[in-house]
Structure formats: C-alpha cells, structure tokens
Amino acid sequence: MTTLLQSPLMKDPERLQQRLKEIPAEPGVYFMHSRQGDILYIGKSKTLRNRVRSYFRESRMHSPRIEMMVQQVAEIEFIVTDTEAEALALEANLIKRHQPYYNVLLKDDKKYPYVCITWSEDYPRFFVTRKRSLGRKGDRYYGPYVDSRLLRYTLGLMKRIFPLRQRRKPLFKNRTCLNYDIGRCPGVCQKVVSPDEYRQTVQKVAMVFQGRSNELVEALTEQMMQAAENERFEKAAQLRDQIKAVSALNADQKVSLPDDRVSRDVIALAADDHHCAIQLFQVRAGRLVGRLGFFTELPENLGEDRDVEYGKILQHVLENHYANVDGVEIPSEILVQYPLRDQEWLAGFLGDRRNAKVQIIQPQRQLKADLIAMVERNAQHELNRTQRAADRNLKAMEDLATLLDLPELPKRIEGYDISHIQGSNAVASQVVFIDGVPAKQDYRHYKIKNPDIHIGRSDDFASMAEIMRRRFRKGLTKDAPDLIMIDGGKGQLSAVMKVMEDLDLVDKLNIVSLAKKQEQVYFPYESEPISSEKDQPGIQLLRRVRDESHRFAVSFHRQQRMKSSRRSQLDDIPRLGHHRKKQLLAHFHSLDYLREAKPEQIAEVKGIGPRLAEDIYNYFHPKN
C-alpha cells in the first residue's frame, strides 16, 4: 500500500509559504515530489529560493505541462552545494538515476557512437563505443557523433600516423609485435616507451576530437621546424606526414563566415508531435570539425508556447554536453535556435570554466541565422530518417501481432539460439528487440551446464530446454517478453514447451519457433507451420531477431573456443598454480620433455614436491 504525503502545496497556502521560507538563497538542486512520493521534477539553480518561488507565484505563466506539474507538488526537498558547477553535475546525475517524468530526458539508445580515451590507464587506449559508461574516473568520451563512418575513418587515420597502442592485450608475453617493427606502436606491451612520453602522443590525438586541429597543426609545424634545424630529418618527415593528414581531415568542411577565427558551436532542433532531434555543429576556424546528435521524446501538453520548451531542451543538451568536456573545448560563441531559460547564467558558468568570455547568441539575420537554419535542416533530416525507421518497425510489429494473433503489439521480443561444434564449448544466446530495435544492453549469453553435452555429443533440444529453465526459473518478472522466438523447428519448440509446462507458464507466454530452411514459423503443439509469406514485414522482423541471436551465439562460442585453445594442458592438473607451471616450463622448456620425465626428475623442480610430481607424471601417463 502506497503511503500518501499531505495534500498538494497549492491547496495548502500556509504550508506552501512556510516551505518556501525554509529554502535557502544558495546554489543547489531541488526535488518536486507528488503525493505518492514520486519525484516529479529535479532542477538546479544558483539561488534555490528564487527559482523554487517562481513556480508558485500568482503571476506565473507556465506551459500547460508545467502548470499540471505544479498542481501535483506535495513536497519540496533540496540539496545545497558550494558552487553552481557542483549543482550542475549533481543535477545531471540525479536526473539520470531517477528519470523524473517532467524532466527532459535525452534518450540513451546507443544510436550515436562516442570515442573513448582511457586516461585511467597508464597507457591510454582509443576505441569507438555506443555505450557511455561512467565507471572509471578519468576516462573521456567525445561525441556522440552523427557520422559514424567519418568517425571510424578519423580514428583509423590517427592510429596510422601516430604511434599508438593498437591492442587491448599484448600479443606476446616477452617481445613486441609487428606493429612496433613498422612504427605503428611505440612498444607499449614491453614498456619501451614511458607512460609520460606516450601520454604526450595521446594528448595530440585527443586535440583532434576536441576540435582543436588547428592548434595541433601549429604545434606539429613548430616541432617539424625544430627537428629540421637539428638535422633530425627522419623525425621532421614523420611530423610533416602527420601535419598533412590532420590538415586534410576537415579540408572540405568549410563554413562561410566572415569572422572565421572565432570558435563557435551551433545548436538547433527539429520536432514533430512526439519526438525531437537535436544537432550540435562544432565550427573551429571556419571549418566544421564535429557534428553531434541527440534525441529525446517530447513531453505531452506542451501548449502553444513551444519556443520556451524548446529552449529548455537546448539548454539541457548544452549543460549535459559541456559538463563532460575540458575547458579548452568550450567555444567563445554559442549560437542557439531558441532563447534559453538561464542563458546569462550558462554563459557565465561556461566562461568561468573556459577562463574567457563565452557569448550565447540567438541570431536573427544574415550568415549566423543561415548557419542555424542549416543545422535545423540536418536535424529535420535525422528526425525524418528516425521516424521512417520507427514507422517500418511499427508496421512490422502490427503485422506480426496479426499473423500470430497476439493480444497486443510484441514490443519486447526475445530470441534464443544454441552454438557449438559437435558438443564442444556449447553456449546459448538471448537477444532482445524493443520496438523492433536491438536492445543490446539486455543481451545475455549462457554456457551450457548439462554434463551429458560434451565433445562428441551434442543435444540442441536439451540445451534449449536448460536455457529456458534458467531464464524463467523465477517466473515472470517485470522484463517479461511479449514474444519468444526459438531458433529451430518443432523439436526445439517441443523441448521448450515441456519446460514451460513444468513452470506453469504455457498460458502466460507467447512462444514460436522459426525454422531455418524454409523460414517457417511454428506454434506450440502444432505439426504444420502457419501460413505466411517470407517477405511480409512480421516475418522479416522475426528473421532479424533470429539472425541476431545466431550472430551473438556464434561470437560467444568463438570466444570460448579461443579461450580453450589457449589453455595449457597443465591447467587440468589439481594443485598446480600459475607460478609452479612457470617453474616447470622454465626447467623442461616444453611439454614434450616434461611428458618424458620421471617423477624423480619432476620433483627436482623448485616448489614441486614428490607427491605433486607423482600427480603430474600420472596425468601424462594415466593407468587404464
């Protein structure tokens, strides 16, 4: 039973005034709670008292949506911070954690990629990812980038012209690989280069993703001239090649503006009745060096004054973006499509971080207004593209619901597949599609635990039954699927249904199987496939789920197979740890010599006693 708070504050003026008096005139974060205790809204302000009071003034002019929220507020809480910067960072974290209904929520749908630099490591790595994790302090994410192809090309080019770490793990234990020999890597695995020296190289590449390519070219040119003066011509030639490559990156991205020495960001959005696409163009020295994209769902009841709500969305994007960049990456000028609610405050805050003045301008005419219009057109194209994809997925779900006679649209579909080679390293995959789109954060893989399945003996029916039992052994949870698709035919489906009968879930889950050869869909307990066409949208959606579950299962199986191939035969000997294995191999130099050794010879190795030596000998010479 939900415990209700007191009545809404708007219905109790005396309590409202008392609560407002308790709020300090300091920077911090405030929470609006409903009668049920739910958090309706989280905000921040440099002066909490003034901001919270503005919601309840008699002369207030809110949009219908915000007015609806104000009428529901039953309690106000706050957290005081020392600075406005702390309030901004705290607000962003709290919104992400609590997901309040009335806040603008940028969709974290893994749509656009980032570049991550792992500054938390002694030798930082670069990699492209669609998942922004805040697990390691110090790691930096640049993006999200709209053009993933250009992003990967840029990163690949940087790895070719700058000596960077190429692998996550070393290829060899005691020597460098070919990348070091051809100058692609400075020998990170063997620590040929010091961490400080390597980080200087990484910082140069980071400048490209910070939009500071011109600064990098100037620094490299100075180094090239110095190397030539000192007659280090090979080093000068290497720097020359780096300058050419960096200069060519944005050569065709010229933006026509008279004051092209000014660094500026340009942000605009395009919206329909339900969704909003936002784009942020980074212009440095007259060149477009970055194009970032964001996406959000529009709240209901926006009312007629949409410009105010759009301004709030733009401000939220800018606050989130600049909270995660270094001060040198903040431009001197930001062009916005709509006025921001806290425009003056945000400009001052960014100026303090940049240690120089930052202007936020809403241009009305001439070239800067044309630049806003260009960004808006790109946002509109992205919105249209996203909407077309959403329409196709909706059509596929509707067709699938009709085809399978489902009570509602299959918004969450789970697909399962088994992968092995003659029973070895048998694994299974679980993939999830939400609204017709892969939700990779919900993927799972399983190792088959059935002792009867091993090298030389496979059983896909038993494997599939095991996985379904493990998945639903606790019954239906809040993430229960609307549809389950089994990769296989009637045999796999029958094995699954026996498990569902044991778990009493037959009538609670919708389950079908998709056979590979004829793309035929089977219902449980039916001997004939349902009547369908291969190219109809619902079947195509099932095939996408089936193909993705197959890909995910095969990739995990390969990982397990690679791990098995790397394991030493000595791993199977009890009480033989890593250090003792090293001692044995150092003494005998190979497993062949160890296999031929007598127990007394094995016992001569330091740390190997007579009993363990006997076990090692018996392992290589089993007594049948």
Side-chain angles (χ1 to χ4, degrees):
M1 181 175 177
T2 304
T3 302
L4 297 179
L5 301 176
Q6 299 180 56
S7 61
L9 290 171
M10 291 294 291
K11 295 183 178 180
D12 191 345
E14 185 177 340
R15 190 164 65 89
L16 171 61
Q17 292 305 316
Q18 180 62 34
R19 196 72 186 98
L20 293 177
K21 288 178 183 178
E22 297 170 354
I23 299 174
E26 297 182 47
V29 175
Y30 58 91
F31 304 76
M32 305 285 198
H33 290 271
S34 69
R35 287 192 70 193
Q36 290 75 25
D38 300 326
I39 298 177
L40 298 171
Y41 186 80
I42 296 175
K44 53 102 185 46
S45 177
K46 64 179 178 181
T47 310
L48 283 170
R49 179 180 297 166
N50 294 348
R51 169 56 56 80
V52 175
R53 279 180 179 272
S54 69
Y55 287 97
F56 301 95
R57 290 195 185 104
E58 291 185 5
S59 59
R60 64 186 183 273
M61 295 183 63
H62 297 315
S63 66
R65 172 174 159 271
I66 297 301
E67 185 62 35
M68 185 183 297
M69 180 200 77
V70 171
Q71 297 296 331
Q72 297 177 58
V73 175
E75 185 56 273
I76 304 170
E77 291 184 335
F78 58 85
I79 298 175
V80 174
T81 60
D82 293 330
T83 64
E84 298 166 25
E86 288 180 5
L88 177 62
L90 180 60
E91 179 202 35
N93 289 334
L94 290 172
I95 289 175
K96 191 166 187 178
R97 183 192 308 167
H98 295 290
Q99 304 274 300
Y101 179 77
Y102 285 95
N103 279 96
V104 175
L105 303 175
L106 297 180
K107 291 191 72 174
D108 185 20
D109 60 354
K110 317 298 184 295
K111 182 176 182 180
Y112 301 118
Y114 295 84
V115 167
C116 179
I117 304 180
T118 58
W119 289 107
S120 58
E121 301 174 1
D122 290 339
Y123 295 94
R125 294 176 292 121
F126 289 78
F127 62 90
V128 176
T129 178
R130 293 179 189 268
K131 185 176 181 180
R132 183 171 187 162
S133 172
L134 303 178
R136 289 189 174 185
K137 190 175 181 180
D139 290 354
R140 277 283 282 112
Y141 289 82
Y142 299 93
Y145 293 95
V146 175
D147 193 337
S148 59
R149 184 177 300 178
L150 177 61
L151 171 62
R152 294 180 187 278
Y153 168 78
T154 302
L155 185 57
L157 182 63
M158 294 298 101
K159 286 187 173 183
R160 287 198 301 274
I161 64 174
F162 289 95
L164 294 171
R165 176 181 174 181
Q166 302 289 328
R167 297 176 178 274
R168 183 172 184 175
K169 294 182 179 180
L171 189 61
F172 305 108
K173 289 185 178 180
N174 55 2
R175 65 182 178 88
T176 56
C177 67
L178 182 62
N179 284 317
Y180 175 76
D181 298 330
I182 63 177
R184 290 278 181 88
C185 175
V188 167
C189 59
Q190 302 303 318
K191 298 186 177 179
V192 176
V193 61
S194 69
D196 290 341
E197 186 180 352
Y198 178 73
R199 281 170 171 261
Q200 291 176 11
T201 303
V202 174
Q203 187 58 59
K204 292 177 183 177
V205 179
M207 291 174 72
V208 173
F209 297 103
Q210 292 170 347
R212 301 165 60 202
S213 299
N214 282 353
E215 292 181 48
L216 177 59
V217 168
E218 290 173 6
L220 292 175
T221 302
E222 187 177 336
Q223 293 175 22
M224 180 183 70
M225 302 300 292
Q226 188 67 41
E229 271 186 38
N230 297 335
E231 299 184 356
R232 297 173 59 203
F233 299 116
E234 187 175 339
K235 179 65 174 176
Q238 182 186 33
L239 290 166
R240 177 203 61 202
D241 294 341
Q242 292 174 356
I243 292 168
K244 283 184 178 179
V246 174
S247 300
L249 272 177
N250 305 110
D252 59 345
Q253 300 287 336
K254 182 71 174 176
V255 177
S256 179
L257 284 172
D259 50 348
D260 60 6
R261 289 190 176 185
V262 176
S263 64
R264 55 171 56 86
D265 283 354
V266 190
I267 187 169
L269 61 79
D272 57 21
D273 292 337
H274 304 289
H275 302 95
C276 179
I278 308 103
Q279 298 232 335
L280 189 150
F281 280 26
Q282 299 170 309
V283 182
R284 304 292 183 266
R287 299 190 186 280
L288 178 62
V289 300
R291 180 180 165 210
L292 311 184
F294 308 87
F295 199 80
T296 184
E297 293 182 356
L298 281 181
E300 298 177 0
N301 302 317
L302 280 183
E304 296 181 1
D305 197 4
R306 285 180 168 247
D307 289 7
V308 174
E309 295 298 328
Y310 291 159
K312 291 179 181 179
I313 292 173
L314 294 182
Q315 178 167 330
H316 185 69
V317 171
L318 292 174
E319 289 176 355
N320 274 268
H321 172 63
Y322 293 124
N324 295 294
V325 305
D326 298 329
V328 293
E329 300 173 55
I330 299 173
S332 58
E333 187 176 281
I334 302 171
L335 305 183
V336 297
Q337 181 186 17
Y338 296 99
L340 310 184
R341 181 178 65 177
D342 301 317
Q343 191 160 304
E344 185 179 343
W345 171 82
L346 184 60
F349 169 73
L350 296 178
D352 292 340
R353 289 200 58 207
R354 186 175 182 263
N355 292 322
K357 185 178 180 181
V358 174
Q359 287 184 300
I360 299 178
I361 303 170
Q362 185 193 5
Q364 301 296 330
R365 59 182 183 272
Q366 297 181 341
L367 293 175
K368 291 182 180 179
D370 292 341
L371 195 53
I372 286 284
M374 181 184 73
V375 179
E376 182 183 359
R377 284 197 305 274
N378 281 271
Q380 185 65 55
H381 287 310
E382 186 65 17
L383 181 66
N384 293 342
R385 189 185 67 81
T386 302
Q387 191 58 51
R388 285 194 298 270
D391 290 343
R392 284 196 300 270
N393 289 331
L394 178 60
K395 184 178 179 182
M397 289 190 293
E398 289 174 343
D399 182 65
L400 189 57
T402 302
L403 180 68
L404 303 181
D405 195 23
L406 300 177
E408 54 188 21
L409 290 183
K411 289 184 171 292
R412 182 185 174 96
I413 304 175
E414 293 184 4
Y416 294 85
D417 192 18
I418 306 292
S419 182
H420 59 83
I421 294 180
Q422 295 182 343
S424 68
N425 302 116
V427 298
S429 67
Q430 171 197 321
V431 301
V432 178
F433 276 51
I434 296 178
D435 292 333
V437 179
K440 296 191 176 182
Q441 67 273 19
D442 293 335
Y443 283 19
R444 283 189 64 186
H445 44 58
Y446 302 83
K447 295 180 183 177
I448 302 300
K449 297 180 179 179
N450 191 332
D452 295 331
I453 298 173
H454 48 74
I455 297 176
R457 188 183 187 283
S458 62
D459 189 337
D460 286 359
F461 300 166
S463 298
M464 189 63 76
E466 175 191 328
I467 296 312
M468 300 308 289
R469 188 178 297 277
R470 288 163 63 182
R471 166 66 175 93
F472 294 103
R473 66 181 181 273
K474 295 181 180 179
L476 295 182
T477 57
K478 63 179 181 179
D479 61 347
D482 301 308
L483 178 66
I484 294 174
M485 189 228 63
I486 306 299
D487 185 4
K490 292 182 288 185
Q492 284 89 343
L493 185 58
S494 297
V496 168
M497 295 314 296
K498 289 180 181 177
V499 174
M500 294 300 152
E501 291 169 4
D502 294 343
L503 300 176
D504 194 24
L505 294 175
V506 172
D507 298 326
K508 298 175 184 177
L509 289 170
N510 300 301
I511 306 175
V512 297
S513 67
L514 180 62
K516 289 186 175 69
K517 289 185 179 180
Q518 302 297 327
E519 307 291 357
Q520 294 174 325
V521 180
Y522 287 90
F523 277 135
Y525 312 117
E526 298 287 341
S527 59
E528 296 297 325
I530 65 174
S531 177
S532 63
E533 299 292 335
K534 291 183 181 179
D535 57 351
Q536 68 181 94
I539 296 298
Q540 289 181 343
L541 175 56
L542 279 184
R543 286 165 61 184
R544 290 200 298 273
V545 177
R546 191 270 313 280
D547 293 344
E548 180 67 357
S549 64
H550 180 72
R551 180 201 65 79
F552 194 53
V554 169
S555 63
F556 184 53
H557 169 71
R558 286 172 179 163
Q559 292 176 13
Q560 298 304 306
R561 199 168 73 239
M562 287 295 292
K563 285 183 181 179
S564 298
S565 66
R566 289 172 180 164
R567 289 179 72 247
S568 166
Q569 291 185 41
L570 300 179
D571 292 342
D572 296 326
I573 303 176
R575 299 186 297 113
L576 191 60
H578 177 71
H579 179 70
R580 285 173 170 172
K581 283 186 284 188
K582 286 180 65 177
Q583 295 286 88
L584 283 169
L585 292 174
H587 184 87
F588 290 102
H589 302 293
S590 76
L591 286 177
D592 292 333
Y593 286 121
L594 176 59
R595 187 179 289 109
E596 299 301 322
K598 302 295 183 184
E600 308 83 54
Q601 295 172 305
I602 298 174
E604 293 174 3
V605 177
K606 184 178 179 181
I608 306 294
R611 184 178 174 184
L612 182 55
E614 193 70 33
D615 290 342
I616 296 171
Y617 179 82
N618 290 337
Y619 174 79
F620 288 109
H621 305 85
K623 299 174 182 178
N624 295 323

